[in-house]
Amino acid sequence: MNRSHEYKILALVSLLAIFSGDTIAGVTIYPIATKLDSHGNAQINVFTNADKTEFVKTLIKKINNPGTAQENEVVVNSTAGKGLMVAPAKFALSPGATRVIRLVNMQPVQTETLYRVYFESVNSLDQNAGQSEKQANLGVNMIWGLLVSVPPAQPKIEFTYNPVNFQLANTGNIHIKVSSIGICPEVNTDAGCTWSKEVKKAIYPGQQRALPAEIFNGKKYAAVRIKYTNWVDNTSGEKEFLK
């Protein structure tokens, strides 16, 4: 399965449930994907509709090579005072309670950085998250994976296009999301352009991704227009490349 960090996909697959017995209500987090603001902060809500007190512990992992076959996650030592921190890192939730959790980036980044924070229901706050030998004691061990995007202090969207292999190369410092591709008979105008659907996968800094070859088949064109969205400030933009 190709691992992508599209927010819509994450809304469906970030929840992991390991069933080992009777079902309980468990813990829920919202949202399941977030970005830090310009001050390096964000907040999420953790709540439960269980009829007993829930104990939750967190585990932070940094995502390397996102959206590629080489993608991997590395555990972050939050006590080192670098990178992402979660406050509180462990907590109890009484029945029906909601807890506000703070996410804080302790060190500015030059390039967008991705983390996944795991929230796991445990037997007690003395149990480490992911401590599998004790999981059998739970009716249901619920693990939520929260995707956290940390933008750089000065986000830049920059990318190039290679007309030979139809590839976009992200030369900026945040990921880009292509919203539409225009195949245009003339330069400097949208007139007569044929617009395609969005590219489904985000293109992260330093990555290249080929545009769908079928959108070029049989078409005579002078320029390719790329419409994109900026996830940091929720704006949109457009860039034109000559054939």
Side-chain angles (χ1 to χ4, degrees), residues 1 14 79 94 127 157 214 225 229 243:
M1 177 179 177
S14 285
T79 62
S94 57
Q127 176 185 335
I157 287 186
E214 59 270 18
R225 300 178 74 86
T229 54
K243 178 180 178 181

Side-chain angles (χ1 to χ4, degrees), residues 131-145:
Q131 197 168 4
S132 59
E133 63 268 20
K134 295 187 178 180
Q135 289 176 357
N137 296 327
L138 292 173
V140 175
N141 188 43
M142 300 298 294
I143 306 175
W144 285 85

